[in-house]
Amino acid sequence: MATRKLIVDGKEIEAEETITLLQACEQAGAEIPRFCYHERLSVAGNCRMCLVEWVGAPKPQASCALQVKDIFPNKDGTPAKINTTSPYARKAREGVMEFLLINHPLDCPICDQGGECDLQDQAMGYGRAAFHRFNENKRAVEDKYMGPLVKTIMTRCIACTRCVRFATEVAGVPDLGATGRGEDVEITTYLEKAFASELSGNVVDLCPVGALTAKPYAFNARPWELRKTESVDVMDAQGCNIRVDTRGPQVMRVLPRLNEEINEEWISDKARHACDGLSRQRLDRPYVRVGGKLKPATWAQAFAAIAAKVRETAPDRMAAIVGDLAAAEEIKALKDLMTALKVKNLDCRQDGAKLKAGPRQTYLFNSTIAGVEAADAILLVGANPRWEAPVLNARIRKAWLASGVKVANLGPAVDLTYPVKQLGTDINTLAGIANGSHAFAKVLTEAKRPMIILGQGAITRSDGAAILALAARIAGDTGMIGPAGGHGEGGWNGFNILHTAASRVAALDIGFLPGAGGRDVAGIVDGAQRGEIDFLYLLGADEFDVAHLGRAFIVYQGSHGDAGAHHADVVLPGAAYTEKDGLYVNFEGRVQRGRRAAFPPGEAKEDWAILRALSEVLGAKLPYDTRAALVAAIEKDAPHFAGIGAAPVHADVSAATWGSVGENGPLSSAPLGHAIADYYLTNPVARASETMAQCSREFVFSSKMAAE
């Protein structure tokens, strides 16, 4: 990489020629203010706040719009001198700040951005101490409608265009743009429509002033009132890093945390705004069904009712199902409890996915999230990453922008924000790719780093096992997998399962699956209808047909009064994901720690502690009294749980192992579909959220009505 020497504030550095002058100055330790510049967006160069002095140049230079290769040496061959703190540079920035504040309303006391506003901070650091010299009337701009999540006060806008560039470049939804010129420029949505992206909330973080703020959070709190806790998102299986801000017992907002390997600095709208569901429809005390109605009970009464039923029920007539938001601790505790009771009817696959125990590579997103950027051919099968993992979808778009990766979609046609070759909804097309008769088979074979992404829409079908087998065959034949990583460099593995449940990979790692002769979820439901299952323990399981469980005695342990609680005979109140410390494993197999930001309401307890207390009443006492001892037990069974935050390192898997993925069998004639019908209402927390209900009406229901 070519480099060039510069002298920044008297310090000589050597910087890569392709980076901006602003970045080079920061590498030298200088602090450069900016409003329009952002590392993940294209350069606009329209705020001019980053002006620096290039000694010998006729005017101040916008450091964001110049690359190091544009800074030529002095005539005598010495490196160019750049001053960032000279009186000349300071005066230039003061002038820019004065212009920016000409039309700004200066309404900081009522602005939600107050306390974390870039304009406020930089006005203090780089503005003039005296009053400005302009007495003309300030301009006023009409507020725009951007949907239920983004509140606009456009008089505050300084036209940095960060939001426009994010919408166009990262989100891939060109709903935002600028009209007018000069003083009349306005940022607006086209035709006054909502900003229709699952990543729209990120524009609030990007906005350097109070023009765009979070509508659900408006006038609720000030940043200095909030306690900040680093945690992990569970609204999908990507495991985006988040910060949970609480005031007292209430979660006020959720913001993204920087993690280059997982979510960069973005999170989905559901991760950000479903948090109001944490305070609604909560279970805050145990309930026992008496005379057909659920009535409040004590913990002792609830445990006694469960114990009485367990004593009279044979192990083969008992079952347990894990839900989508459970942490590894309670999954392990429930498995150990059921094993002690000799129960073999266990399952974590509420949706009926045909995945099974085996090497982790057979059920992970092996290419890793960051690895998507290296792919040069991607085949989507029954996957809609825009709804199933919006931040991953942004990565795929980023890869397409950078390298033009070829993407094909086998499934219903949807707008994924990048060009996709539609292959229809006939699953037999996958067989054609497997035997080499389909044109896209050649694209995969010729690619250096091909990928196949199997969504839950494919592997939850009746022929899901056959689809898995075909996908593994395609991966083997096109060089995606193998002891040497195929013909990709660095041990490439392009076989990927896109999970939608935050708990799924951890449950598969722990082995929460049917034992020998045990029933899966479909078998449990069928057995309950036939009167063959008399006792069913649901750990936050709400995403299957709970209404058809016959007369089975149902114990529901969870945080919200959702479908499972409505049909339960005993309800045990658990903690939501923000109310407990827990381990979660994302779809690439990375173990991450979620931290408690608040305490559960009322008499609700942490889920593993409930199971530990219940085990003693059932006469099958679990061998751990603390969470640390429980985590140690998890690490003993699955050692990779000790590697918090690390990307999984897989040993080579033989071709014979990949040949055993799935099962050979006939393919169904049913058209291929997607797993998620409504992105905004996929779990109990989201369904309890008023904000998510508004988004569903705005973006899903209205779109369906318009299509009809």
Side-chain angles (χ1 to χ4, degrees), residues 322-337:
V322 160
D324 290 351
L325 305 183
E329 287 86 342
E330 53 257 33
I331 297 172
K332 169 66 172 171
L334 182 58
K335 185 194 176 189
D336 288 352
L337 177 58

Side-chain angles (χ1 to χ4, degrees), residues 227-247:
R227 188 162 59 92
K228 302 165 180 64
T229 307
E230 296 184 350
S231 190
V232 178
D233 173 50
V234 300
M235 293 294 109
D236 57 37
Q238 185 164 346
C240 294
N241 287 206
I242 59 173
R243 192 187 84 194
V244 181
D245 288 0
T246 55
R247 185 176 61 187

Side-chain angles (χ1 to χ4, degrees), residues 300-315 318 341 535 553 614 616-619:
Q301 291 169 335
F303 286 171
I306 297 170
K309 186 64 179 179
V310 169
R311 279 194 294 268
E312 65 183 40
T313 307
M318 298 167 63
L341 297 174
F535 177 92
F553 185 91
L614 176 60
E616 198 158 1
V617 176
L618 296 180

Side-chain angles (χ1 to χ4, degrees), residues 239-518:
C240 294
N241 287 206
I242 59 173
R243 192 187 84 194
V244 181
D245 288 0
T246 55
R247 185 176 61 187
Q250 187 175 359
V251 174
M252 304 302 295
R253 64 178 181 179
V254 172
L255 298 176
R257 278 193 297 131
L258 180 67
N259 188 315
E260 295 288 354
E261 296 182 327
I262 300 177
N263 59 301
E264 296 181 302
E265 58 189 86
W266 319 124
I267 56 172
S268 68
D269 288 345
K270 187 162 53 176
R272 185 186 298 268
H273 288 298
C275 59
D276 63 322
L278 292 167
S279 60
R280 296 187 174 92
Q281 300 182 22
R282 290 302 304 269
L283 300 174
D284 59 358
R285 66 181 67 181
Y287 290 87
V288 175
R289 193 173 295 276
V290 179
K293 293 185 177 181
L294 285 173
K295 295 187 177 180
T298 63
W299 281 102
Q301 291 169 335
F303 286 171
I306 297 170
K309 186 64 179 179
V310 169
R311 279 194 294 268
E312 65 183 40
T313 307
D316 63 339
R317 300 179 72 87
M318 298 167 63
I321 300 175
V322 160
D324 290 351
L325 305 183
E329 287 86 342
E330 53 257 33
I331 297 172
K332 169 66 172 171
L334 182 58
K335 185 194 176 189
D336 288 352
L337 177 58
M338 291 295 124
T339 301
L341 297 174
K342 300 180 180 179
V343 177
K344 296 182 178 179
N345 304 316
L346 310 175
D347 206 354
C348 62
R349 304 161 300 180
Q350 289 187 88
D351 50 15
K354 302 304 185 288
L355 299 168
K356 55 185 179 182
R360 297 187 82 209
Q361 295 95 316
T362 62
Y363 57 79
L364 291 184
F365 197 94
N366 294 292
S367 301
T368 71
I369 297 166
V372 167
E373 296 182 32
D376 49 4
I378 302 175
L379 174 60
L380 302 171
V381 183
N384 177 8
R386 182 169 174 181
W387 274 10
E388 294 167 23
V391 181
L392 173 70
N393 194 64
R395 281 269 190 173
I396 299 176
R397 175 175 170 79
K398 182 180 179 182
W400 169 73
L401 285 171
S403 64
V405 57
K406 298 175 182 177
V407 185
N409 177 40
L410 182 54
V414 291
D415 178 12
L416 293 175
T417 73
Y418 41 84
V420 173
K421 182 177 178 60
Q422 297 293 344
L423 304 183
T425 59
D426 185 356
I427 195 59
N428 286 295
T429 303
L430 191 66
I433 296 174
N435 60 35
S437 62
H438 193 278
F440 200 73
K442 183 179 180 182
V443 174
L444 292 174
T445 303
E446 293 178 351
K448 290 185 177 179
R449 294 185 181 85
M451 287 175 57
I452 185 169
I453 300 177
L454 287 175
Q456 302 301 301
I459 62 177
T460 58
R461 291 161 47 107
S462 59
D463 57 353
I467 294 173
L468 273 168
L470 277 176
R473 181 176 149 198
I474 292 170
D477 292 347
T478 57
M480 292 183 191
I481 56 176
H487 51 237
E489 299 174 7
W492 178 257
N493 187 337
F495 180 84
N496 300 298
I497 305 294
L498 180 56
H499 294 278
T500 56
S503 66
R504 185 67 51 82
V505 174
L508 291 170
D509 287 346
I510 290 169
F512 202 95
L513 294 166

Side-chain angles (χ1 to χ4, degrees), residues 530-550:
R530 294 170 179 269
E532 298 168 359
I533 296 293
D534 296 328
F535 177 92
L536 178 58
Y537 201 107
L538 303 180
L539 181 59
D542 301 274
E543 311 306 326
F544 69 101
D545 197 354
V546 186
H548 292 83
L549 292 175

